């Protein structure tokens, strides 16, 4: 502390809504004047204060590096090592670290940006595409990973290695080094530098507002790294193209100056055995070591000199015969770079007026200040200020497609977002169908990945995820080229295009080999996976679906298509195998997830209907999933019908929004398919917890090495549509957060992870307490939580009126704080559309209740009814047991199951009364222990799936 707690090593950044900077300066001097300047490395406290402020770190970096003289990786230490680390979860990756002098002095030119920009490229011609086509990996990243005062690290990481990829790791390295050489020879040119400058400066000049905390967290470390005038924009300067400097730094990126870090579950399998004489990857034997701080096991060996020489040759352009680099090339110019940044303002937007920021009258009395602030907040509410509220317009509709649009008038940024939901049938209600839906989305993301990297560099972001309704695609960023990425994402969402992904070249050969490649009368012969793949396959699909029920051979016709899709596609095809491997590892990795994550999963097992655990989906993968069954699923889901909902928000006019919607329709081109009726899609429902019957779920963590246990306690509040309920829940969460944290963690030290507050699951609200403990059993933790909840009730009753008013003002200030990001407003408005609600100014109703109706007595009544009163409270508590308590827990779970079985048997043979709650047994503490979650869910009523139906929609008419 005496060595490093020094003013010349510190930076401080403040952000506050004050007009006078002298006030901030006085605050800093008062708070930090006592910090003494210590002699560097000295142990004695000095009375001398810091005199002349030191120069910024870049000015010192060269001198410090020269004084140090030695890099952390050098010929005598680290270089040429292979370190294979034993992971906890199912994962495989390889990381190359190259050491070089610090590049902080060169931040104004960013000479190493080429590494991340080019080697990290994911489009056609990239290393990632080459490795993915061979089924060897799922991701690759590169760039400057560490930039310290005396050294820097450039890293290249191959993520998501497959089992086959680990067998070809040497070829993977040759691809990487060949591409590095390609960058040195042809990539360091002026136009690429200009393009990188434009990408970074576009993002900087049109960035969204940051929160004060995020702003100071970014400025404070920047003060130590850059000149003060560059702290905000250092990453976007790109002042001068300096090819000679870049080439000089690239000299450190070579085959004789790196260490290789290997992270693989394969190493774990041989940890307790003997490593073969060939070592890892056949690179030679080494030794097992243990890291001294955390006890991590790793295998250390030396990379063979022959490999390093071969990699040097690859970097110079000469690769081994088994490494095909014919398709490897540098990326072309970025088609997604925006050129227009004009702000659209061509129509009236229905929204509520805003007011200026809130200030008090400066009264020194604390009580008077709180009262003044409350009065000001009430004025904001009465003027409908503080919250951005836009009413979406329904700008067009056809039998498949409903489109909502909002033109932004608040942020005035040249950005927009498009959210597309493809509603599919309720086939998603089984573990297999949910698994197929996730696999479907994974393949779609794999397909669009070749476009999304360039788009992200240009400030566009796309994501496709699975949902309970079907598929959700989101595209956000600069509006100028937004439509291009939207079209590419939607085109990839056609399942027939995804089926071609499984192995397009082999399917093309399959069409020719089976004699179906001619131009005869059978339209199935047009199955060619090239430029006309989508239209050809859609025609086949159209022939199949339109004849359904009209002829006896319609099922055979569909079967023929599926046969053609799967007949000549072996299970080892690269895209399919990578997708399966990636999904399997993700499902298996959940077994070693944190105990609190398993506690939340068990909550969903007990209450959500339908819900399928990772184990359910893994079992479906191992027993049901094949390429044919996947294609059959995709065909059936689309044939059963679909419908679309598109929400367009931002700097997009209504005319442009209609054009985007029409292009989405053209990309899908499925007007012949059956329309999915509204309400036919799957809705997840939540079971209502019974009042006065506390439920308990016990679960043993599947990882036998997990030493932590967790408790997840939820009290059901119910539907928060009444504004008073919502206001009371929000106030309770605010009031309870710090006291519960202090009581459970600081005072009792029960565990490191302590959370409490509000949680919403499918429109149902809960107050929860989450605690993860290494030293105590779940039973002990639950007992202490109950004690703290009772103490909290006493604290609420003893709370002074002034303290209560401060909490109320704090909540109102937070609720009425202006939104900082356009995406926040878009997400909030979209949530109203999703839940079929039209009360878009609902937040004002809640704020009005907080300002005018809430009292301490109401809060106490709310707390008593939903949490403290054992007869009216509805609760579910989940215990997850770590290894120290696993044996005791397993015995308790087995005993409860025996009681449940015996009770069921007696019920069958006698007239004994049924248990009060099916699927549970009552223990000695009065808890209803859940032993059969499925039976319990069937016996409980369900909450509503969505919000109130809208009484009106602003509709400007028109067809798409």
């Amino acid at each position: 502390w005496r060595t490093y707690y020094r003013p010349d090593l510190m930076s401080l950044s403040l952000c506050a809504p004050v007009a006078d900077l002298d006030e901030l300066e006085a605050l800093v001097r008062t708070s930090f004047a006592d910090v003494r300047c210590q002699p560097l490395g000295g142990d004695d406290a000095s009375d001398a204060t810091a005199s002349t402020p030191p120069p910024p770190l870049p000015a010192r970096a060269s001198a410090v590096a020269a004084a140090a003289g030695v890099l952390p990786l050098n010929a005598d230490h680290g270089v040429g090592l292979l370190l294979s680390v034993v992971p906890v979860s199912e994962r495989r990756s390889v990381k190359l670290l190259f050491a070089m002098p610090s590049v902080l002095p060169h931040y104004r030119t960013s000479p190493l940006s080429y590494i991340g920009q080019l080697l990290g490229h994911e489009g056609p011609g990239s290393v990632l595409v080459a490795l993915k086509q061979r089924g060897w990996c799922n991701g690759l990243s590169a760039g400057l990973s560490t930039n310290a005062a005396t050294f820097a690290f450039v890293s290249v990481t191959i993520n998501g290695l497959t089992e086959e990829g680990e067998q070809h790791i040497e070829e993977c390295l040759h691809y990487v080094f060949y591409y590095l050489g390609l960058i040195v020879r042809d990539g360091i040119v002026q136009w690429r530098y200009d393009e990188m400058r434009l990408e970074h400066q576009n993002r900087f000049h049109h960035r969204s507002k940051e929160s004060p905390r995020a702003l100071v967290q970014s400025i404070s470390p920047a003060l130590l790294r850059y000149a003060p005038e560059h702290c905000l924009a250092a990453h976007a300067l790109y002042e001068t193209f300096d090819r000679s400097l870049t080439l000089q730094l690239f000299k450190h990126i070579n085959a004789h100056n790196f260490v290789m870090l290997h992270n693989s579950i394969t190493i774990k399998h041989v940890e307790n055995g003997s490593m073969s004489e060939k070592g890892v990857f056949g690179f030679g034997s080494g030794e097992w070591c243990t890291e001294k701080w955390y006890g991590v096991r790793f295998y250390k060996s030396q990379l063979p000199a022959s490999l390093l020489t071969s990699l040097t040759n690859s970097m110079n352009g000469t690769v081994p015969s088994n490494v095909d680099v014919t398709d490897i090339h540098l990326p072309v110019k970025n088609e997604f770079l925006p050129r227009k940044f004009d702000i659209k303002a061509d129509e009236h937007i229905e929204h509520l007026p805003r007011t200026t920021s809130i200030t008090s009258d400066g009264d020194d009395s604390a009580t008077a200040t709180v009262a003044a602030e409350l009065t000001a907040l009430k004025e904001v509410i009465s003027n409908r200020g503080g919250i951005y509220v836009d009413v979406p317009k329904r700008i067009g509709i056809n039998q498949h497609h409903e489109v909502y649009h909002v033109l932004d008038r608040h942020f005035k940024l040249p950005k927009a977002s498009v959210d597309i939901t493809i509603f599919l049938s309720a086939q998603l209600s089984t573990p297999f169908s949910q698994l197929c839906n996730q696999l479907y989305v994974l393949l779609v993301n794999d397909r669009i990945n070749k476009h999304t990297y360039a788009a992200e560099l240009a400030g566009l972001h796309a994501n496709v995820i699975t949902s309970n309704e079907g598929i959700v695609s989101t595209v956000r960023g600069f509006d100028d080229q937004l439509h291009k990425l939207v079209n590419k994402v939607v085109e990839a969402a056609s399942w027939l295009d995804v089926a071609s992904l499984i192995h397009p070249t082999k399917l093309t050969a399959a069409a020719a080999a089976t004699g179906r490649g001619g131009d005869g009368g059978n339209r199935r012969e047009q199955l060619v996976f090239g430029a006309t793949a989508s239209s050809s396959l859609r025609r086949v699909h159209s022939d199949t679906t339109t004849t359904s029920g009209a002829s006896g051979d319609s099922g055979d016709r569909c079967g023929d298509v599926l046969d053609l899709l799967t007949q000549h596609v072996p299970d080892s095809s690269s895209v399919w195998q990578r997708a399966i491997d990636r999904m399997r590892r993700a499902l298996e990795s959940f077994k070693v997830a944190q105990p609190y994550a398993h506690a939340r999963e068990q909550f969903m097992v007990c209450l959500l209907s339908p819900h399928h655990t990772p184990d359910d989906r893994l079992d479906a993968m191992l027993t049901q999933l094949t390429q044919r069954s996947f294609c059959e699923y995709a065909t059936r889901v689309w044939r059963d019908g679909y419908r679309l909902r598109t929400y367009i928000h931002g700097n997009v006019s209504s005319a442009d929004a209609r054009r985007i919607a029409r292009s989405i329709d053209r990309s899908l081109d499925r007007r012949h398919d059956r329309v999915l009726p509204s309400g036919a899609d799957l809705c997840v429902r939540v079971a209502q917890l019974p009042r006065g019957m506390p439920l308990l779920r016990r679960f043993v963590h599947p990882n036998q090495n997990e030493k932590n246990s967790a408790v997840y306690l939820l009290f059901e509040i119910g539907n928060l549509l009444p504004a008073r309920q919502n206001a009371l829940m929000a106030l309770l969460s605010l009031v309870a957060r710090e006291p519960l944290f202090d009581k459970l963690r600081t005072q009792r030290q029960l565990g490191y992870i302590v959370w409490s507050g509000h949680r919403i699951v499918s429109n149902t609200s809960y107050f929860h307490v989450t605690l993860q403990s290494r030293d105590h059993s779940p039973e002990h933790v639950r007992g202490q939580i109950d004690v703290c909840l009772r103490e909290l009730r006493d604290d609420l009753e003893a709370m002074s009126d002034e303290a209560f008013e401060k909490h109320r003002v704090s909540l109102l200030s937070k609720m009425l704080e202006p939104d900082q990001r356009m995406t926040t407003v878009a997400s909030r408005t979209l949530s109203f559309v999703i839940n079929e609600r039209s009360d878009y100014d609902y937040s004002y109703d809640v704020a009005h209740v907080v300002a005018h109706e809430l009292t301490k007595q109401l809060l106490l009544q709310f707390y008593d009814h939903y949490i403290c009163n054992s007869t009216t409270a509805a609760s579910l508590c989940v215990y997850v047991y770590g290894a120290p308590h696993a044996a005791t827990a397993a015995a308790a779970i087995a005993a409860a199951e025996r009681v449940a079985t015996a009770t069921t048997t007696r019920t069958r043979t006698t007239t004994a009364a049924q248990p009060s709650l099916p699927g549970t047994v009552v223990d000695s503490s009065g808890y209803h222990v859940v032993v059969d979650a499925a039976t319990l869910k069937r016996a409980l009523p369900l909450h509503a799936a969505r919000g109130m139906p809208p009484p009106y929609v602003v509709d400007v008419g028109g067809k798409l």
Side-chain angles (χ1 to χ4, degrees):
W1 181 84
R2 289 178 177 176
T3 301
Y4 297 106
Y5 191 69
R6 303 160 41 84
D8 57 326
L9 298 179
M10 291 181 183
S11 66
L12 178 66
S13 176
L14 282 82
C15 178
V18 296
D20 188 2
L21 291 178
D22 292 338
E23 182 181 342
L24 279 182
E25 182 179 351
L27 177 63
V28 172
R29 292 185 179 278
T30 302
S31 302
F32 293 92
D34 292 336
V35 178
R36 302 296 181 181
C37 183
Q38 312 290 341
L40 186 60
D43 294 329
D44 298 329
S46 172
D47 292 332
T49 58
S51 54
T52 303
L57 188 57
R60 293 181 282 160
S62 298
V64 174
V70 179
L71 296 174
L73 294 179
N74 53 71
D76 299 323
H77 178 73
V79 166
L81 284 179
L82 167 60
L83 306 176
S84 296
V85 182
V86 178
V88 175
S89 59
E90 173 80 8
R91 63 179 62 185
R92 298 181 181 88
S93 66
V94 163
K95 184 175 186 177
L96 311 181
L97 279 179
F98 301 87
M100 62 178 58
S102 173
V103 294
L104 277 176
H106 314 299
Y107 72 86
R108 299 171 74 166
T109 58
S110 301
L112 289 180
S113 297
Y114 293 94
I115 293 291
Q117 189 88 339
L118 299 181
L119 185 56
H121 189 68
E122 300 177 0
S126 65
V127 174
L128 177 61
V129 169
L131 299 183
K132 289 172 72 172
Q133 286 177 345
R134 289 155 179 80
W136 293 349
C137 80
N138 286 297
L140 186 146
S141 60
L144 190 64
S145 61
T146 302
N147 195 9
T150 59
F151 66 92
F153 279 141
V154 169
S155 66
V156 180
T157 305
I158 303 174
N159 298 303
L161 272 174
T162 63
E163 294 183 16
E164 185 178 0
E166 280 196 297
Q167 303 302 316
H168 295 273
I169 195 64
E170 187 170 344
E171 290 98 315
C172 294
L173 297 178
H174 280 290
Y175 278 107
V176 169
F177 277 87
Y178 175 80
Y179 204 89
L180 286 171
L182 199 60
I183 295 174
V184 174
R185 292 189 296 274
D186 304 321
I188 305 174
V189 292
Q190 179 75 50
W191 73 264
R192 293 190 187 278
Y193 189 84
D194 294 339
E195 187 174 87
M196 288 188 290
R197 178 197 292 125
L198 185 60
E199 290 166 352
H200 284 82
Q201 291 184 355
N202 282 345
R203 289 197 294 268
F204 177 77
H205 290 301
H206 302 286
R207 69 192 186 279
S208 300
K209 289 184 179 180
E210 294 182 274
S211 68
R213 182 175 64 178
L215 183 62
V216 296
Q217 286 178 341
S218 64
I219 292 177
S220 187
L223 287 168
L224 290 176
R225 302 169 68 85
Y226 314 120
E229 64 270 23
H230 296 146
C231 285
L232 290 175
H235 63 283
L237 291 179
Y238 286 83
E239 291 182 348
T240 306
F241 172 62
D242 192 338
R243 177 178 169 81
S244 60
L245 173 62
T246 304
L247 290 175
Q248 179 183 351
L249 292 171
F250 257 83
K251 291 180 180 179
H252 296 277
I253 304 175
N254 62 74
H256 296 278
N257 186 43
F258 77 95
V259 61
M260 180 171 167
L261 307 177
H262 174 223
N263 190 353
S264 174
I265 196 69
T266 305
I267 304 301
K268 185 176 183 179
H269 294 158
V270 297
E271 178 186 5
N272 297 324
S274 59
M275 183 71 72
S276 67
E277 294 182 359
K278 294 183 178 180
V280 182
F281 305 133
F283 290 166
S285 61
E287 60 177 338
W288 281 104
C289 304
T290 302
E291 187 270 334
K292 66 178 182 179
W293 297 108
Y294 297 99
V296 176
R297 295 279 290 166
F298 65 96
Y299 190 78
K300 181 172 71 172
S301 58
Q302 195 75 30
L303 294 171
S306 58
L307 172 66
L308 303 182
T309 301
S310 180
L311 294 177
T312 301
N313 294 336
S314 292
M315 193 167 181
N316 293 330
T318 305
V319 297
S321 58
N322 62 338
V323 178
D324 182 9
V325 295
T326 54
D327 293 331
I328 300 294
H329 60 80
L330 296 172
V332 298
K333 291 185 177 180
N334 195 336
E335 65 174 310
F336 295 104
L337 272 177
R339 305 296 179 184
K340 299 178 181 178
F341 302 96
D342 57 306
I343 304 302
K344 309 292 191 306
D346 62 346
E347 56 200 58
H348 172 71
I349 301 298
E350 183 177 343
H351 64 89
L352 298 172
R354 291 180 43 75
T355 62
T356 57
S357 58
I358 306 157
T359 57
S360 64
D361 56 8
D363 195 312
D364 291 335
S365 167
T367 303
T369 299
V370 171
E373 289 178 350
L374 185 58
T375 301
L377 290 169
K378 289 179 179 179
E379 183 68 20
V380 172
I381 297 171
S382 64
N383 291 332
R384 284 299 201 251
I387 306 172
Y388 295 124
V389 178
D390 290 322
V391 179
K393 295 180 180 179
R394 191 168 62 187
I395 62 172
I397 188 170
N398 62 30
Q399 60 174 348
H400 282 291
H401 200 174
E402 191 171 12
V403 183
Y404 295 86
H405 170 242
V406 170
L407 173 62
D408 170 66
R409 295 293 295 273
H410 307 299
F411 296 93
K412 301 187 183 305
L413 291 172
K415 296 182 178 181
S417 63
V418 178
D419 293 86
I420 307 165
T421 302
I422 305 177
F423 293 91
L424 300 175
S425 68
Q427 303 281 350
L428 305 178
S429 57
T430 67
F432 174 74
S433 58
Q434 188 177 19
L435 174 73
C436 286
N437 198 39
Q438 292 175 324
L439 180 59
Y440 185 113
V441 167
L442 191 125
L443 290 172
V444 170
N445 279 307
D446 191 272
R447 178 68 175 271
I448 66 173
N449 192 62
K450 60 185 179 183
H451 305 295
T452 53
Y453 182 79
E456 287 179 3
L457 294 176
L460 285 171
H461 305 274
N463 189 31
V464 182
I465 62 173
T466 180
S467 73
N468 295 313
E469 292 83 10
I471 299 172
V472 178
S473 304
T474 302
V475 182
R476 294 181 176 177
F478 290 107
D479 62 273
D480 184 35
Q481 304 294 335
L482 186 75
H483 63 282
K484 290 184 179 179
L485 190 56
V486 169
N487 290 339
K488 294 181 185 300
V489 169
V490 177
E491 286 172 0
S494 169
W495 86 267
L496 294 172
D497 287 343
V498 173
S500 71
L501 263 175
I502 295 175
H503 211 300
T505 57
K506 292 187 178 181
L507 284 174
T508 304
T514 54
R516 302 184 183 186
D519 56 356
N522 191 342
R523 306 190 72 170
R524 293 189 300 274
E525 298 174 0
Q526 301 177 24
L527 184 60
V528 179
F529 289 85
T532 60
S534 300
S535 59
S536 299
L537 284 170
R538 288 187 186 113
R539 283 194 291 272
V540 176
H541 182 65
S542 178
D543 286 348
T544 303
T545 54
T546 54
T547 58
S548 179
S551 63
D553 64 347
S554 59
D556 294 336
R557 292 168 67 84
C558 182
D560 287 344
V561 176
L562 293 172
D563 285 339
L564 187 57
L565 288 173
T566 59
Q567 181 179 1
H568 293 271
V569 186
D571 287 338
S572 60
S573 59
S574 61
V575 176
W576 174 263
Q577 198 59 41
R578 278 192 300 104
I580 293 299
D581 182 71
R582 184 176 176 181
M583 183 168 289
R584 177 187 57 79
R585 285 188 286 110
L587 293 173
E588 290 181 345
S589 294
F590 186 73
K591 295 179 181 178
V592 295
Q594 291 276 9
Y596 70 81
H598 281 277
R600 294 181 177 182
E601 176 67 24
Q602 289 303 307
F603 156 76
M604 293 186 285
V605 168
C606 291
L607 295 186
L608 266 63
S609 180
H611 178 75
H612 312 296
T613 67
D615 282 345
D616 295 336
R617 283 170 276 156
L618 183 61
D619 182 66
M621 171 180 286
L622 298 177
T623 60
Q624 296 177 260
L625 184 62
T626 63
Q627 289 182 9
R628 182 181 179 85
S629 64
F630 171 72
C631 291
E632 288 175 341
Y633 159 82
T635 305
R636 183 178 65 251
V637 167
W638 281 107
R639 188 175 61 234
D640 287 348
Y642 80 99
R643 59 186 176 89
L644 298 175
R645 181 187 60 225
T646 299
Y647 173 68
I648 303 171
H649 185 285
N651 191 45
V652 179
S653 66
S654 58
D656 289 339
R658 285 191 178 91
R659 281 192 285 271
I660 291 174
R662 285 194 293 267
S663 70
I664 292 172
D665 264 0
R666 286 194 299 269
S667 297
L668 282 175
D669 192 21
R670 292 181 176 277
R671 294 179 184 273
H672 54 272
D673 283 350
R674 190 173 73 87
V675 180
L676 184 70
S678 179
D681 52 290
L682 178 67
C683 291
V684 173
R685 306 285 296 276
V686 181
Q688 296 182 24
L689 289 175
R691 305 245 170 233
M693 297 180 178
L695 297 178
L696 174 64
R697 174 73 165 180
R698 294 190 177 103
F699 181 77
V700 177
H701 198 288
N703 180 15
Q704 297 180 356
N705 297 320
E706 178 59 65
K707 294 182 170 53
N708 291 291
S709 299
V711 172
Y712 187 40
L713 175 60
L714 299 104
F715 296 91
E716 181 182 286
I717 309 301
N719 194 309
L720 288 186
L721 284 178
R724 177 177 288 188
Q725 287 284 94
N726 203 328
L728 286 167
M729 183 71 253
L731 184 59
L732 175 61
S733 298
L734 177 67
V735 172
R737 184 182 300 115
E738 290 187 11
L740 285 178
F741 184 89
D742 180 64
K743 294 174 185 293
L744 294 169
R745 178 175 166 181
T746 307
Q747 297 180 19
R748 291 169 171 81
Q749 299 186 5
L750 294 174
Y752 185 77
I753 294 178
V754 178
W755 298 319
S756 67
H758 186 196
R759 186 183 180 194
I760 298 178
V761 180
S762 188
N763 285 317
T764 304
S765 178
Y766 301 87
F767 180 83
H768 80 93
V769 179
T770 304
L771 197 151
Q772 185 164 296
S773 175
R774 187 182 183 91
D775 301 321
H776 302 284
S777 69
E779 287 80 5
H780 175 77
V781 171
R782 171 63 192 274
Q784 292 300 304
I785 291 176
D786 289 340
V787 171
C788 291
L789 289 174
R790 290 193 294 269
E791 291 179 356
L792 178 63
R793 202 273 179 207
D794 297 335
D795 294 343
L796 291 176
E797 190 168 21
M799 181 183 297
S800 66
D801 292 339
E802 180 181 344
F804 180 80
E805 289 300 299
K806 285 183 178 180
H807 283 300
R808 199 152 62 109
V809 168
S810 176
L811 177 59
L812 271 178
S813 299
K814 186 174 181 61
M815 294 177 66
L816 299 176
E817 181 180 350
D819 296 302
Q820 301 296 316
R821 294 177 178 272
M822 186 192 299
T823 53
T824 305
V825 179
S827 299
R828 182 173 61 241
T829 308
L830 176 60
S831 69
F832 281 88
V833 175
I834 291 173
N835 289 292
E836 300 176 349
R837 291 174 56 183
S838 60
D839 49 340
Y840 299 105
D841 58 351
Y842 175 73
S843 298
Y844 287 119
D845 298 334
V846 178
H848 184 276
V849 171
V850 175
H852 296 280
E853 299 180 23
L854 290 196
T855 63
K856 187 176 75 171
Q857 189 60 34
L858 278 178
L859 183 62
L860 280 171
Q861 292 175 2
F862 181 85
Y863 191 82
D864 288 339
H865 181 80
Y866 288 105
I867 294 175
C868 279
N869 192 324
S870 60
T871 60
T872 58
S875 67
L876 168 63
C877 189
V878 180
Y879 293 168
V880 175
Y881 297 86
H885 312 287
T888 303
I893 293 172
E897 291 175 347
R898 286 195 297 271
V899 171
T901 303
T903 302
T904 303
T905 303
R906 287 196 303 270
T907 302
R908 289 172 182 167
T909 57
T910 68
T911 58
Q914 287 281 355
S916 57
L917 286 176
T920 69
V921 296
V922 181
D923 68 3
S924 57
S925 300
Y927 294 123
H928 293 252
V929 181
V930 180
V931 295
D932 187 346
T935 300
L936 173 65
K937 283 189 288 189
R938 286 194 296 268
L940 296 177
L942 301 176
H943 285 287
R946 294 189 174 95
M948 297 181 297
Y952 71 94
V953 176
V954 177
D955 195 339
V956 298
K959 296 288 184 181
L960 296 179

